[in-house]
Amino acid sequence: MKFSPRRVLVIARREYLATVRRRAYVFTVIGMPLLFGGLMAFSFRQSGGERHGALASFHALGVVDSSGLYAHAPDAIVTQASHKAFDEDGQQDTFTIAVRRYPDQAGALAALRAGEVNQVLVVPPDYLTHGGARRYVYGSRMFSSGDEGPVQRWLARGLLAGNVEPARIERVSDPGKSMALLTAQRGGEFQIENDKSEVMSFLLPYLFAMLLGMCIFTGGQYLMQGVSEEKESRILESLLCTVSPEDLLFGKLLGLGGAGFTMVGIWIAAGSLLAGQAALAMPIHVPPTMVAVALAYFVLGFLFYGSLMLMVGALTSNMRESQQFSVVFSLLNFSPLFMITSLLGHPEAPKSVLASLFPPTAPVSMVLRMNAPSFAVPAWQIALSLALLAAAVVVVVFIAARIFRIALLLYGKTPNLPEILRWARAGA
């Protein structure tokens, strides 16, 4: 039976409608953005609240000064913190920590155990020459060090008290206060880096890459699931009486690719509508070329992984085996997210360039590199990456079509690797 574009379109239409009507598809389209949005909002709220919470519960500091250097140190520590990771209004809460002095360490630790103080600071006799101050606290400090800064500033202020004018003491104790950080942008100009821009420098590339990776993988999963279900139910035997394996393969790729495009479009439209105030507070500029390149990577990435998923669905005997094999493709697809700090922080590094040229990792890696705020990916690297990915797609689709034609009606034991390679070479 010869390949027929008309049959391909019929199969594509059927696959598209069957997919978008599934409850799982509707849940993915609606539920996943809500889930990720909720988790990210919770994460930002937690990160912003850690310092605030640590300071809110820090009422008293016990001090044992064996050096005599802090006789004239302030009797209170005044510091500020915001509830949020970044405060749009610049409003912060003020906290006052009382400083209570104890003649010895034993008495201070007894006060700590009794709850009279929240922390104990012990300054050794040779602190001026060797340092070695010790801070005693209850509980783990693994993820919260927001209360360490005020203690360090008190040490600096107390050491200079009575010897240096107050303005100089204030500047020495917190030299970075109100310091502006300007970072180079793609055009060579410098821009002030603040909490908002720092968060967006990470958040925007991460969301772009995650969106791309999820759409590619979700579409591939639908392809694999569809073939596995039809193979288990023996529907394929009836389908192959009227269509060729090539018609089925390309029809499924086209139909489920359209479902993936629909998912991306809904997410982008919903994100644009719901961004609202956040978009005004943190201006986001996405160049049209970025969107065009991301769509190109989506199409090629979907064809690459979709063909592999179709091949796996045809080779395996049931859905359980298919899912076990798909884990490998999932790791390949999302592996660039494990090196996101390198891709964003050093997008010009050889390993970052290699990751964006290697076809299995190219879509997510290149999108991350293109979103790096201070680096412009050379056009030749984008062109070469797309060319290599397109060539890989041609090879994978060709091999998948050969294996798909042979393995589609096989049942029972899953073929081993030598058999699969023989089918790929022979095609019959």
Side-chain angles (χ1 to χ4, degrees):
M1 189 179 298
K2 293 183 178 181
F3 176 79
S4 171
R6 184 180 63 83
R7 289 196 296 263
V8 169
L9 292 176
V10 171
I11 295 170
R13 181 177 180 275
R14 182 259 177 193
E15 291 292 336
Y16 177 84
L17 294 176
T19 300
V20 298
R21 290 170 179 170
R22 288 185 179 185
R23 293 181 180 177
Y25 182 87
V26 176
F27 172 78
T28 302
V29 170
I30 299 175
M32 293 303 291
L34 294 177
L35 176 63
F36 273 97
L39 289 175
M40 293 184 68
F42 177 76
S43 175
F44 282 124
R45 185 176 181 85
Q46 285 293 102
S47 63
E50 284 294 334
R51 172 177 166 79
H52 187 278
L55 293 174
S57 60
F58 192 2
H59 303 294
L61 172 68
V63 175
V64 180
D65 180 20
S66 302
S67 67
L69 298 170
Y70 291 90
H72 302 289
D75 293 328
I77 305 172
V78 180
T79 188
Q80 294 180 323
S82 171
H83 284 84
K84 303 177 182 179
F86 46 89
D87 196 334
E88 297 174 7
D89 302 323
Q91 296 179 352
Q92 295 183 319
D93 293 332
T94 301
F95 301 94
T96 301
I97 303 167
V99 177
R100 299 175 183 173
R101 303 174 186 274
Y102 293 87
D104 53 49
Q105 180 175 314
L109 293 180
L112 177 63
R113 296 188 185 97
E116 297 174 6
V117 295
N118 305 106
Q119 298 186 23
V120 169
L121 176 66
V122 177
V123 183
D126 57 350
Y127 176 69
L128 189 61
T129 55
H130 297 96
R134 301 185 301 277
R135 194 161 61 106
Y136 295 82
V137 298
Y138 272 124
S140 171
R141 321 303 291 174
M142 186 178 297
F143 299 109
S144 175
S145 59
D147 52 4
E148 184 177 351
V151 175
Q152 292 180 346
R153 288 193 293 274
W154 182 85
L155 282 169
R157 290 188 179 104
L159 198 60
L160 300 174
N163 301 309
V164 181
E165 62 268 26
R168 193 177 296 271
I169 292 175
E170 184 65 26
R171 189 60 58 223
V172 169
S173 64
D174 193 3
K177 187 177 182 180
S178 301
M179 181 188 297
L181 173 65
L182 290 89
T183 57
Q185 303 301 300
R186 293 190 183 96
E189 71 280 3
F190 287 86
Q191 178 178 312
I192 292 180
E193 184 85 5
N194 53 29
D195 288 337
K196 297 177 185 178
S197 59
E198 187 175 346
V199 168
M200 290 310 300
S201 295
F202 174 83
L203 186 61
L204 184 60
Y206 179 82
L207 289 178
F208 245 91
M210 181 61 72
L211 176 66
L212 182 68
M214 281 186 60
C215 291
I216 291 174
F217 186 71
T218 301
Q221 283 281 8
Y222 282 132
L223 282 168
M224 184 183 66
Q225 182 180 350
V227 173
S228 296
E229 290 176 351
E230 290 172 356
K231 190 173 181 180
E232 283 189 85
S233 62
R234 302 296 179 98
I235 293 176
L236 286 176
E237 296 178 1
S238 301
L239 287 174
L240 292 176
C241 294
T242 55
V243 299
S244 68
E246 290 79 7
D247 294 337
L248 194 59
L249 184 143
F250 287 104
K252 286 181 174 293
L253 281 175
L254 186 59
L256 290 169
F261 269 117
T262 302
M263 185 182 296
V264 172
I266 293 174
W267 283 352
I268 292 176
S272 300
L273 290 174
L274 297 177
Q277 295 299 323
L280 295 176
M282 296 177 292
I284 301 172
H285 175 63
V286 180
T289 53
M290 174 73 69
V291 177
V293 172
L295 288 176
Y297 274 110
F298 168 75
V299 172
L300 294 174
F302 173 79
L303 291 174
F304 181 84
Y305 281 102
S307 300
L308 291 174
M309 293 289 197
L310 273 175
M311 185 172 62
V312 168
L315 287 169
T316 53
S317 301
N318 52 62
M319 190 61 191
R320 183 186 303 173
E321 288 186 2
S322 300
Q323 290 176 337
Q324 290 172 350
F325 282 101
S326 71
V327 172
V328 178
F329 303 136
S330 177
L331 290 174
L332 275 175
N333 187 32
F334 288 106
S335 59
L337 293 177
F338 294 110
M339 51 184 297
I340 187 171
T341 53
S342 297
L343 290 168
L344 291 178
H346 306 282
E348 76 289 347
K351 63 179 179 181
S352 299
V353 176
L354 182 62
S356 63
L357 296 179
F358 183 54
T361 58
V364 175
S365 297
M366 185 59 82
V367 166
L368 284 172
R369 289 183 67 215
M370 290 180 66
N371 277 280
S374 59
F375 180 77
V377 179
W380 69 265
Q381 291 186 12
I382 299 174
L384 179 59
S385 175
L386 288 172
L388 291 174
L389 183 56
V393 166
V394 172
V395 173
V396 169
V397 169
F398 178 76
I399 294 174
R402 285 189 163 194
I403 295 176
F404 193 75
R405 185 187 307 120
I406 300 171
L408 210 53
L409 294 178
L410 290 179
Y411 297 94
K413 182 183 177 181
T414 302
N416 54 36
L417 183 59
E419 290 177 315
I420 296 172
L421 293 176
R422 187 171 66 253
W423 294 345
R425 289 194 303 267

